[in-house]
Amino acid sequence: MRFSIFLCVAGYAIFPFVSAYASPRSGDLWDPASVREYLDRVATSIDGGDVDIHWGEGVIWYETSSADKTAYFTFDPLTRKTEHVFDQADIRRNLQLSESASVTVIDIEPETKTATVQVDGLKFVLDYEAGQIRDPAKLNASDSPAVVRKMFPINGWDRRELKSPDGSQFASLIGDDFALRDVGISDLRWRTDDGTPENRWFFPGDIWEASDSPWSPDSTKVVARRHDMRSVPGVSLLDYLGDSETSQTFQYWARAGEPIPITSFHIFDSATGARTDVNVGGSSDSFAFFVNWAPDNSGFAFIRYDRDLSQQELFFVDAETGIATRLFADQRDDGWVKWPGGPKTIEYLPSGDGYLWRSDEDGYFHWYLHETNGDRVRQLTQGGFPVWQVVMIDEDGGWIYFMASSDPSRPYDRHLNRIRINGTDQEQITTLPGQHAIEFSPDKQWYIDTHSHLDRPPQTDLYSVADGYVGTLSKAAIDAEFRAGWSKPEEFTAKAADGKTDIHGLIFPPHNFDPDKSYPVLERIYGGMQIPAMKWDYPGFNSGWSGGEYYRMIQYLNAVGFFVVTMDAPGTPGRSRTYNLDTHGSWPEGIIDDHAAALRSVMKTRPYMDAERVGILGNSWGGYMALRGIIEAPELFRAGAASVPETDLVDHVHWIEWQLGNLRDNREHYEAHAIHKMANMIENDVLIIAGTSDVNVPVSNTMKLLDALAEHGKAYDLVIFPGTNHPHQGRGDRYAYAVNKIGVFFRDALGGAEPLDED
């Protein structure tokens, strides 16, 4: 059979952008408007390399976004030839639209050689073989999932309706209640009418724990979640931008020591609406997460955690009775059992004969097979490295495919691995260093690998499971003119304060770096215990810690003449359990010692990094650590910029207890590490940035610090963003304003930083 691939390629080959944008000249990058323009240019200087893929019967098609256009091609894996089919310009010509008209391809039907296209409020059928448009009709909005709830101010997530596996229904959230509706029909079938703002109905996987769809595989049942917040005092969100100041209470999570909201699960019959309540159990000192349905529709799994994460319990819920049976419990005395985020903790075998469970009981996270018949448990994956998500289980072929940091010499890379279900023949499949993201076809015969490294722009390759590499589908387009003068980040390994433990990190040099010159140095720190500070893919490619706002800020600081260093010291994940729990119970003690030791080691062998002009900056826990840096190591860190910093460990959401233990048992330690109680020790320059509607770090943290600084006569710089929350720089132009303020602050505090001069 000839296997064709329908694809939308943006940046199919590497090419320079054509742009009228002028490179920044001396002085421009201290101007907020120019900073905005520059940060936007950083974000668009890499384009493509990844794909949005849709697998079909014998064919696939996919699309990528491009600043230029979106085009569709066929790729024949047998001949490895690419043919252009159509692009957005073809559609505009057929419809006689302007070049600026928005065109979206909703779906492609390779069998009939047609595509469904949306233009404004209309949809059309494009016969792309004949190049003709036909069947114009009004777009039925009820065909698509609607945005039903703005979720958490912390991240701005929108919740959309969830489509059933058979494609016939949507699960919906309206106000505080739960409803269903048929696709193509706007009328709702209400399933609850008792929701209140303090006791709302939610989808099951709203935050933290990775989970599958709440719909049963056969679409006959759906699980909803209720979140009882009536005993939670909540966080006040303040807004001063209206006619008068306003305040609302955010109750989704609690502060340290406060009662935790109580979660319950409820099963709804999608046809009759019959409701079955689940005996979740638990209390205001525990919380529960839905995980996934069993493949045979018999029920679903959920996990219940103690508030300090020292114990997790796995339950199976019978879909007919709602009775929850505990399968096993995992309890630790040395720290948490798992941070409740991705990857998923449990993966069912498609046959239903057992499930995989991810645990670090042997010192690294590995997958364990729990067999249904005989109730046997055996460890599958092995090695001195952590495994991550399962990407495909092929029971017929006898293989499990999973991601892992399987090269111990490069502990933060992620590779595709596989192992036989019987526990033999474990092997790493991908070989190129860096980050790999894998997606398999439904028939398990093909997969795509989107990969990149610090010096390798992203690209997406197609592989046959049987025969290996087939072809490259998309390569990133790089704005070579704009990125001229950028230097590749330098990887380093240094020792922690104990002189023995390895710390891995990255050094981002100033643009147009000259080793004969001397440059000021900034450490971009995080120091929290639940996420690493960096990833090792192509700079700016992905969002989050290695891309998005985080990376754009680093490049701005490089552009104006700073070295920027990032590192993951003991107490951060991605290595062994011992490494992750190095600071458990004692955190934040020792964090600055480890970072300072590594940074001094790095600068000692690089004379162009001026050890007398060093600053430290960070967001959230990074803001807290920036403040600790100028307190604990003032001779090294001469200035600190703290964005949305925690300053009072008691005045923080309850997940801090996963690192420090229950507040009721350890309050003295919490209070001893409050920054506002150390304000008298701050002698170096300090900048504080915060928002008044922060649900993660209440603005009361900042206010306590400001009051203490004034009490001790300490000078400080301050930026307050009214009505913004934890990712405060993300609202409008506030991000560029904050970045500019940070750059100017360190220029004035450390000196020697200058923007690019290309005259």
Side-chain angles (χ1 to χ4, degrees):
M1 178 184 71
R2 293 178 64 81
F3 184 92
S4 295
I5 300 174
F6 285 77
L7 53 119
C8 154
V9 176
Y12 189 76
I14 297 177
F15 59 88
F17 280 89
V18 178
S19 172
Y21 177 83
S23 297
R25 299 174 182 272
S26 181
D28 284 352
L29 285 186
W30 302 123
D31 172 69
S34 296
V35 174
R36 271 197 306 276
E37 184 181 9
Y38 183 82
L39 293 171
D40 289 343
R41 200 72 181 112
V42 172
T44 59
S45 63
I46 175 173
D47 194 25
D50 57 342
V51 303
D52 182 11
I53 193 164
H54 305 266
W55 304 94
E57 291 293 332
V59 297
I60 65 171
W61 67 276
Y62 70 89
E63 58 184 306
T64 63
S65 299
S66 171
D68 182 24
K69 66 178 181 180
T70 302
Y72 295 81
F73 296 78
T74 59
F75 179 87
D76 189 322
L78 297 181
T79 63
R80 304 193 180 187
K81 290 183 179 179
T82 302
E83 295 183 9
H84 177 271
V85 180
F86 69 92
D87 57 36
Q88 289 173 321
D90 298 329
I91 298 172
R92 292 189 181 97
R93 281 194 299 273
N94 274 281
L95 293 177
Q96 298 181 337
L97 301 172
S98 68
E99 291 185 2
S100 61
S102 174
V103 175
T104 302
V105 176
I106 301 173
D107 197 7
I108 289 182
E109 293 292 342
E111 300 297 326
T112 60
K113 310 290 187 184
T114 60
T116 305
V117 179
Q118 177 182 344
V119 180
D120 296 326
L122 296 177
K123 67 177 180 181
F124 303 86
V125 174
L126 166 69
D127 182 333
Y128 55 76
E129 190 168 60
Q132 295 178 345
I133 292 288
R134 57 183 175 81
D135 298 339
K138 287 187 177 181
L139 183 67
N140 187 351
S142 60
D143 290 343
S144 303
V147 173
V148 291
R149 183 175 291 169
K150 299 287 185 182
M151 286 302 295
F152 307 103
I154 182 176
N155 49 31
W157 287 344
D158 289 339
R159 277 294 180 265
R160 292 184 177 272
E161 295 173 311
L162 300 178
K163 184 178 284 189
S164 60
D166 65 5
S168 67
Q169 302 175 77
F170 287 115
S172 190
L173 298 171
I174 303 297
D176 301 318
D177 282 297
F178 180 73
L180 301 177
R181 73 173 178 88
D182 293 332
V183 172
I185 298 175
S186 58
D187 293 339
L188 294 168
R189 305 195 307 275
W190 291 99
R191 293 297 176 251
T192 70
D193 60 4
D194 56 353
T196 67
E198 296 80 25
N199 196 10
R200 303 183 84 185
W201 289 89
F202 289 85
F203 294 144
D206 279 328
I207 196 168
W208 289 331
E209 188 68 42
S211 64
D212 284 344
S213 170
W215 284 97
S216 62
D218 64 4
S219 302
T220 62
K221 293 181 174 62
V222 61
V223 178
R225 172 190 183 199
R226 200 161 192 192
H227 206 52
D228 186 346
M229 303 167 281
R230 287 174 291 183
S231 63
V232 181
V235 175
S236 295
L237 308 183
L238 307 177
D239 193 346
Y240 302 95
L241 301 180
D243 292 338
S244 61
E245 71 275 10
T246 62
S247 174
Q248 67 181 47
T249 301
F250 180 80
Q251 291 181 279
Y252 190 83
W253 47 60
R255 284 180 171 87
E258 294 177 347
I260 299 173
I262 298 174
T263 286
S264 58
F265 298 118
H266 309 265
I267 306 169
F268 291 89
D269 186 290
S270 61
T272 67
R275 168 175 154 183
T276 303
D277 298 329
V278 178
N279 61 328
V280 175
S283 68
S284 59
D285 277 336
S286 65
F287 46 99
F289 294 112
F290 170 90
V291 185
N292 49 14
W293 277 85
D296 63 0
N297 305 290
S298 61
F300 67 89
F302 75 85
I303 300 171
R304 188 170 68 203
Y305 294 95
D306 287 353
R307 68 181 301 141
D308 64 358
L309 276 187
S310 62
Q311 177 176 271
Q312 60 181 344
E313 301 168 279
L314 177 65
F315 290 84
F316 181 79
V317 177
D318 183 276
E320 298 301 324
T321 66
I323 295 174
T325 302
R326 191 175 79 163
L327 300 182
F328 71 89
D330 185 6
Q331 186 169 0
R332 306 295 177 85
D333 295 327
D334 61 343
W336 68 46
V337 290
K338 178 189 181 292
W339 167 262
K344 281 169 53 183
T345 302
I346 177 176
E347 291 284 354
Y348 278 106
L349 296 180
S351 66
D353 290 338
Y355 57 89
L356 304 178
W357 179 262
R358 184 172 176 265
S359 171
D360 65 353
E361 62 183 79
D362 84 336
Y364 290 88
F365 275 110
H366 281 290
W367 287 104
Y368 293 75
L369 177 60
H370 292 240
E371 296 177 317
T372 303
N373 297 325
D375 201 29
R376 292 188 302 156
V377 180
R378 54 187 171 89
Q379 183 173 347
L380 282 182
T381 60
Q382 309 277 342
F385 55 83
V387 302
W388 303 99
Q389 69 271 25
V390 169
V391 289
M392 195 267 281
I393 300 175
D394 179 9
E395 279 192 279
D396 292 336
W399 290 103
I400 296 171
Y401 293 80
F402 61 95
M403 303 304 296
S405 297
S406 45
D407 182 352
S409 67
R410 301 184 55 82
Y412 297 100
D413 286 358
R414 294 199 183 184
H415 289 282
L416 176 64
N417 287 249
R418 71 176 183 175
I419 190 171
R420 292 193 182 276
I421 294 178
N422 64 14
T424 63
D425 299 334
Q426 180 174 319
E427 62 177 331
Q428 178 180 309
I429 297 175
T430 53
T431 58
L432 291 173
Q435 302 292 307
H436 294 261
I438 307 296
E439 182 178 339
F440 277 85
S441 62
D443 64 8
K444 305 177 183 179
Q445 301 305 306
W446 310 85
Y447 67 89
I448 58 168
D449 174 14
T450 301
H451 57 90
S452 73
H453 183 44
L454 296 169
D455 60 352
R456 189 178 74 251
Q459 71 179 50
T460 297
D461 298 325
L462 174 69
Y463 287 84
S464 162
V465 171
D467 301 319
Y469 176 78
V470 176
T472 296
L473 303 183
S474 180
K475 292 182 180 179
I478 305 300
D479 186 342
E481 179 183 1
F482 178 76
R483 289 197 174 212
W486 293 23
S487 300
K488 171 192 171 184
E490 178 187 354
E491 301 177 51
F492 72 85
T493 303
K495 298 298 181 184
D498 62 6
K500 301 177 182 178
T501 305
D502 282 342
I503 294 176
H504 293 262
L506 297 174
I507 303 169
F508 294 85
H511 296 174
N512 298 320
F513 165 60
D514 182 347
D516 293 327
K517 292 184 178 180
S518 179
Y519 298 89
V521 179
L522 302 175
E523 183 185 351
R524 171 78 167 173
I525 193 171
Y526 184 68
M529 54 285 179
Q530 79 278 21
I531 51 177
M534 58 197 168
K535 291 190 343 187
W536 301 72
D537 50 9
Y538 192 74
F541 173 44
N542 285 318
S543 62
W545 296 104
S546 67
E549 294 179 358
Y550 179 87
Y551 182 74
R552 285 189 284 162
M553 178 183 287
I554 288 177
Q555 283 307 317
Y556 166 74
L557 294 171
N558 289 157
V560 296
F562 294 97
F563 270 95
V564 180
V565 179
T566 65
M567 67 182 82
D568 280 310
T572 56
R575 306 260 299 265
S576 67
R577 179 174 178 82
T578 299
Y579 196 88
N580 195 178
L581 295 179
D582 179 78
T583 59
H584 185 269
S586 64
W587 187 93
E589 296 170 0
I591 300 295
I592 295 301
D593 289 343
D594 287 334
H595 281 253
L599 184 56
R600 287 189 174 103
S601 174
V602 164
M603 294 188 297
K604 186 176 182 180
T605 58
R606 296 167 177 84
Y608 40 79
M609 299 175 72
D610 190 343
E612 299 300 316
R613 292 187 292 149
V614 179
I616 186 170
L617 72 153
N619 286 57
S620 192
W621 283 129
Y624 175 84
M625 289 299 173
L627 295 169
R628 286 194 74 103
I630 60 175
I631 291 171
E632 294 186 36
E635 74 289 348
L636 173 64
F637 297 115
R638 305 301 177 91
S643 295
V644 289
E646 293 87 344
T647 69
D648 182 355
L649 304 189
V650 176
D651 189 10
H652 187 58
V653 292
H654 66 86
W655 58 64
I656 191 176
E657 295 177 289
W658 307 341
Q659 182 67 7
L660 295 183
N662 196 310
L663 175 66
R664 296 189 293 264
D665 303 325
N666 202 18
R667 189 178 187 96
E668 182 178 344
H669 182 86
Y670 279 77
E671 293 181 347
H673 293 282
I675 294 292
H676 66 278
K677 295 183 179 180
M678 308 176 191
N680 63 309
M681 302 171 64
I682 294 178
E683 301 293 342
N684 294 343
D685 293 332
V686 60
L687 166 66
I688 302 161
I689 303 174
T692 64
S693 297
D694 195 333
V695 301
N696 195 13
V697 179
V699 71
S700 49
N701 280 257
T702 294
M703 296 306 168
K704 292 171 189 175
L705 177 60
L706 299 183
D707 185 62
L709 289 169
E711 179 182 356
H712 295 287
K714 305 295 182 178
Y716 60 85
D717 287 338
L718 174 68
V719 175
I720 290 288
F721 291 122
T724 61
N725 56 72
H726 204 53
H728 59 278
Q729 299 105 321
R731 187 168 74 85
D733 290 334
R734 276 67 178 174
Y735 172 67
Y737 187 93
V739 170
N740 175 248
K741 183 67 176 179
I742 290 169
V744 171
F745 167 76
F746 282 119
R747 177 199 66 185
D748 295 344
L750 303 177
E754 293 294 339
L756 295 173
D757 185 353
E758 299 189 1
D759 290 331

